[in-house]
Every structure is written in C-alpha cells, then in structure tokens.
Amino acid sequence: MLPAGEDGFRAAAWGDDPGRWPLPAATDPFDRWHRAVALGGQGRYSAACAELDEAERNVAVTAGLRSLMASTRASWSRQMGAHVRASRYDGTAIALVGLATTRVGPFITHARCDALTGLAADALGVGRFSAADALLTRCEELMVREGRKGSLWRQQLRLRWVRAELAMVSGDGAGAVRHALDARELATETDSLRHITKTELIVAAAVSSLGDIERSRHIAHSVLDACSEHGLVPLQWAAAMLTTGLGDAPASPSIIAECTALLRQRGGVLADA
C-alpha cells in the first residue's frame, strides 16, 4: 500500500482519516499545503484558503509547491462549479513550472501533471472536449517521458477520472466505464479514503452513462454512506446530485440542501465565476 503519512493532517489529506476534526496545526509551507488539502476535502474552504494564504507568504516556497497550491485552489473551484475561475488557477500552476523538455525531479513532475489534468478538467467543464483530450494526452506523455508513470498514483487517478468524464460527455459509455474501472483498480493501491470514494463516484456516474441505472444507484448509495461517515461534504453533495439525477433516493434533495448550506457556511459558493 502507498504511504498515507503519519501526521494527522497528512492522514486526513492522503490517508485513512479524511474527516478528522479538529486538525493539528501545521507550521512549514509544505505541511500547510497538506492541511489545506485535508480542509478542502471536508469542504472547509475558508479555512483551507487561509492556510494556503499563509503558506504563500513565505518567500522561500519553491515554484513547484506554489504550483501545487494553485492546482489545489483550482480543484476547490471546480468542486463548486466555477470552471472559469479554476482555469485561472491552473494556468498559474502550469506557468510556475513550465513544460520544458529538460528532465526534472519528481516534485516538478507532480506539479506539471496536476496542472495539465486540472486544465483538462476545466476545458471539459466549458465544453472544450478536444482541448481536454489534448491536455490529457500531454500529461500522459509527460509521465512516460519522466519515467515515473508508475509512481504518480494520485496523478494517475486524476487522469483516469477526467478521461472517464470526457468519455461520458462524448457519449462513449463503454470508454467511460473502462477508464473508471482502471481508476478503481489503481485506487486499491492507496490508503486514501477520499480518493477511493471519489473513484467510486466516478464509477457510479460512468456506469449510469452505459445505462446500468440499478448498478449505478447501488454504487452511489455506497458513496453517500462513505461520505457521511468520513465528513466528505463536497463529495456527499456530488453523490446526492447523482442519485437525484438517477431518479432515486427521496432523501437526496434534503441531503443536497444540507450540504449546500454547510458548504456556504464554510466558505463555498456553488456557482460559476
């Protein structure tokens, strides 16, 4: 299994305790990023942004870490449907690390892959499907070029998520399921409950695009249960939206309303900007 991290905020960001609250304090910029990721996963957007704001004030923060933090802000914007705003953050993320062919360390590769996948998701969100496909292909080529394709578990997962989403909106249900199941297989190699749960949500949506509504409902209900148990409010909101779209779960509208109110209370605004 891939390491989840020993500290509380690392376990919340990348491990088996995503709903931990309160979180321990972080002091250095790298750990502040971990803590911000954990807070964002719980939908605590104001606190998460404040954590990154503090980290970015440190003049010693590297371009690679600044890029990862920009990609993180973009991810939160996409969660709230703000794809245009997200693209600005992702544009900053890729500008900070560039795409030069010179081989670099793994930290920069991680940042480049996050930015490219984020830009692809942004393009997908505004209907630029060809651009999304090109950006994902560029990311895949980067992973191969850097020779670290097997070690980038989170980047590989995110790539497959967006590949599945692109297939869904392109009317390729079989392709969506294939990419989603590839992501599920990869997710078995991580301890990150948040990433495992997000992967299951992608699988549920992909299965529905193939017309298997009952199977999709079953998976989506499991996602709702996991989100409720672990305090993953943004994913809980998304899963409830899916179950509503599937014409199921009378409780889903109330879940959506509760999650929306909680996310707004925590600094989220579910509208594009």
Side-chain angles (χ1 to χ4, degrees):
M1 300 290 281
L2 296 171
E6 296 180 357
D7 296 319
F9 47 81
R10 293 183 184 179
W14 318 112
D16 59 1
D17 194 14
R20 178 170 181 173
W21 183 257
L23 289 166
T27 53
D28 68 83
F30 195 69
D31 283 345
R32 284 190 183 278
W33 173 58
H34 286 305
R35 193 173 192 274
V37 169
L39 290 166
Q42 299 170 5
R44 302 178 191 277
Y45 296 118
S46 291
C49 286
E51 202 71 46
L52 291 189
D53 289 344
E54 187 63 33
E56 289 168 347
R57 292 189 185 99
N58 189 323
V59 295
V61 175
T62 65
L65 181 53
R66 289 186 185 277
S67 176
L68 288 169
M69 289 191 287
S71 290
T72 300
R73 292 184 190 271
S75 178
W76 299 336
S77 296
R78 278 192 302 277
Q79 288 174 12
M80 294 181 283
H83 296 280
V84 174
R85 186 196 315 150
S87 68
R88 292 195 285 268
Y89 285 127
D90 282 318
T92 298
I94 199 63
L96 283 163
V97 290
L99 286 171
T101 57
T102 305
R103 289 179 64 85
V104 296
F107 196 57
I108 296 296
T109 301
H110 290 188
R112 287 174 173 174
C113 289
D114 274 2
L116 285 169
T117 306
L119 285 168
D122 301 333
L124 175 59
V126 296
R128 299 176 60 228
F129 302 156
S130 294
D133 179 67
L135 286 160
L136 292 174
T137 299
R138 186 72 180 271
C139 184
E140 290 164 340
E141 292 170 348
L142 175 61
M143 290 179 181
V144 172
R145 186 185 80 203
E146 294 300 321
R148 300 186 179 93
K149 187 173 181 179
S151 65
L152 301 166
W153 70 269
R154 184 172 60 80
Q155 288 74 18
Q156 285 284 349
L157 263 183
R158 296 180 74 241
L159 181 70
R160 284 163 173 76
W161 292 345
V162 183
R163 278 287 183 205
E165 290 168 346
L166 179 58
M168 280 184 254
V169 298
S170 301
D172 181 10
V177 171
R178 184 178 69 254
H179 290 301
L181 292 181
D182 284 348
R184 175 187 271 177
E185 182 177 357
L186 184 61
T188 63
E189 301 177 15
T190 178
D191 293 323
S192 176
L193 288 178
R194 180 168 59 87
H195 287 84
I196 291 169
T197 304
K198 171 64 179 287
T199 299
E200 288 302 298
L201 180 60
I202 297 293
V203 172
V207 168
S208 74
S209 75
L210 199 57
D212 193 343
I213 303 302
E214 286 304 315
R215 183 183 174 201
S216 177
R217 285 172 177 166
H218 176 73
I219 299 170
H221 281 299
S222 296
V223 171
L224 275 174
D225 290 343
C227 290
S228 177
E229 179 182 355
H230 298 293
L232 300 174
V233 182
L235 286 178
Q236 186 178 18
W237 177 85
M241 291 291 287
L242 176 59
T243 57
T244 298
L246 294 172
D248 190 29
S252 292
S254 64
I255 295 173
I256 292 170
E258 291 169 6
C259 289
T260 299
L262 189 56
L263 290 172
R264 285 175 175 164
Q265 179 185 335
R266 294 176 175 179
V269 179
L270 297 169
D272 206 350

